[in-house]
Amino acid sequence: MNVKGKIILPMLVVSTVIVVFWEYINRKRPEVVTVTQWNAPVVWEGTYNRDILEKYYAKQKLTVGLTVFAVGRYIEHYLEEFIISANRYFMVGHKVIFYIMVDDVSQMPLIELDPLRTLKVFEIKPEKRWQDISMMRMKTIGEHISSHIQHEVDFLFCMDVDQTFQDNFGVETLGQLVAQLQAWWYKANPDEFTYERREESAAYIPYGQGDFYYHAAIFGGTPIQVFNLTQECFKGILQDKKNDIEAEWHDESHLNKYFLLNKPTKILSPEYCWDYHIGLPTDIKIVKIAWQTKEYSVVRNNV
């Protein structure tokens, strides 16, 4: 796969070293896990130096992509606020391409973007069940990476639409393969996680295995790494369909299986995707993205 740019590897090495080094030197967050057992940084507020990272990445002239899906009533309920908040807080000062996937282009809101921001809208096939929409996005993302995204961006994030940015989501999040900790499970024991526990599913994770519970609302990395993730997850989804089984949490179950076998090189703390229904514990310093109210009875055809 011919990805954009030839400076990704040194960029990744330098950014990872900076994040880990800063954490070890300053020890500002002793109350939380900041480095995994496989030495991947877990990014919390206070574990990185934004000025150092911005100075480095400013020289690279990178482009970051962001995909988001909005179908049916999700368009009118969530899409406009998502784009407006992303325009304000996502990768400020860097070139960004928003890839908006909708099932009805005529409902696309008109939004004026800041300089360095580009919006690309694509119409996708509607699905009858929200579960199928959720799972088919893996196939769609992979197809778009293969056909054009790999040539257009250096890094790519994929996000759910029913959330809003509340603070800067910047270059400290960039990595080769980036995972997001799920806000409700980041303090739990792995045996408590809602992994897929049925052996018949391709997403099966047995008790006694697992590192973290990852949230499918945000994942990212370089285009090739995101492509590999989407391909493997979709392969597992198809295998389950063939065996007449559906993983408990659909694409998120397959995402967690993928990250068990392919360790993320960077993990984002729950500050990057927080649910205020939990409250606001002292270890959550700055909420970068917040969940929207989940109005499933309104936005989903089948609940």
Side-chain angles (χ1 to χ4, degrees):
M1 182 174 288
N2 178 28
V3 298
K4 176 182 179 293
K6 299 181 180 179
I7 55 174
I8 295 298
L9 185 57
M11 288 166 65
L12 295 171
V13 171
V14 171
S15 65
T16 300
V17 168
I18 289 173
V19 171
V20 175
F21 176 77
W22 187 257
E23 202 290 312
Y24 273 117
I25 292 299
N26 287 276
R27 299 288 184 181
K28 289 187 175 182
R29 300 301 303 271
E31 78 281 13
V32 294
V33 175
T34 52
V35 181
T36 68
Q37 292 181 343
W38 59 94
N39 292 322
V42 183
V43 185
W44 295 82
E45 186 66 23
T47 63
Y48 58 90
N49 187 313
R50 187 182 304 278
D51 291 339
I52 292 175
L53 290 171
E54 285 293 349
K55 287 178 182 178
Y56 175 76
Y57 280 110
K59 300 175 183 178
Q60 311 306 326
K61 301 186 184 304
L62 74 158
T63 302
V64 184
L66 173 57
T67 71
V68 67
F69 288 67
V71 299
R73 289 185 286 272
Y74 276 84
I75 298 176
E76 60 185 280
H77 277 270
Y78 299 118
L79 184 57
E80 184 171 8
E81 188 171 355
F82 178 89
I83 296 174
I84 290 173
S85 66
N87 179 54
R88 181 177 180 183
Y89 290 118
F90 182 74
M91 299 294 163
V92 176
H94 301 278
K95 288 183 66 177
V96 170
I97 301 176
F98 297 116
Y99 300 100
I100 313 298
M101 314 292 179
V102 295
D103 62 347
D104 186 353
V105 174
S106 68
Q107 293 191 50
M108 183 68 197
L110 296 176
I111 299 171
E112 185 176 351
L113 299 177
D114 291 342
L116 301 179
R117 270 89 167 94
T118 302
L119 193 84
K120 296 189 177 184
V121 181
F122 301 89
E123 192 161 44
I124 59 174
K125 175 187 173 184
E127 302 287 344
K128 293 182 179 180
R129 301 166 63 245
W130 70 263
Q131 294 94 334
D132 292 325
I133 295 169
S134 177
M135 291 187 287
M136 288 300 291
R137 73 168 177 157
M138 291 294 184
K139 177 177 182 289
T140 304
I141 291 170
E143 290 173 344
H144 280 274
I145 292 173
S146 179
S147 65
H148 64 96
I149 290 177
Q150 62 167 317
H151 307 296
E152 298 169 347
V153 305
D154 301 294
F155 296 96
L156 178 67
F157 280 95
C158 307
M159 298 190 184
D160 284 354
V161 71
D162 53 351
Q163 51 191 0
T164 57
F165 291 80
Q166 296 195 340
D167 208 287
N168 287 330
F169 191 107
V171 293
E172 76 280 358
T173 64
L174 299 178
Q176 189 172 4
L177 183 62
V178 182
Q180 171 67 56
L181 292 183
Q182 216 277 0
W184 285 88
W185 295 102
Y186 75 104
K187 291 183 178 180
N189 182 286
D191 281 347
E192 300 174 16
F193 294 160
T194 54
Y195 290 151
E196 175 54 61
R197 301 298 189 181
R198 293 169 294 176
E199 294 186 25
E200 299 82 6
S201 173
Y204 169 64
I205 298 176
Y207 288 101
Q209 293 188 26
D211 308 299
F212 303 96
Y213 191 86
Y214 301 108
H215 197 177
I218 299 176
F219 59 91
T222 59
I224 181 61
Q225 289 294 335
V226 178
F227 178 81
N228 291 341
L229 182 156
T230 59
Q231 293 296 102
E232 288 302 310
C233 286
F234 187 61
K235 186 186 300 182
I237 291 167
L238 290 181
Q239 182 179 324
D240 279 2
K241 283 184 176 294
K242 182 179 179 180
N243 295 328
D244 196 27
I245 190 171
E246 192 170 275
E248 181 173 1
W249 292 106
H250 316 107
D251 60 332
E252 185 168 271
S253 296
H254 292 278
L255 179 89
N256 272 276
K257 179 63 175 287
Y258 185 83
F259 281 138
L260 175 65
L261 301 177
N262 305 270
K263 305 296 187 190
T265 61
K266 182 173 288 185
I267 297 175
L268 305 183
S269 75
E271 294 171 320
Y272 287 87
C273 193
W274 187 250
D275 183 3
Y276 280 112
H277 287 95
I278 301 172
L280 198 61
T282 57
D283 51 8
I284 304 299
K285 305 299 184 185
I286 298 179
V287 174
K288 313 288 187 174
I289 292 179
W291 299 18
Q292 289 270 50
T293 301
K294 308 295 183 181
E295 299 180 282
Y296 294 144
S297 62
V298 176
V299 299
R300 289 180 175 176
N301 293 328
N302 61 303
V303 181

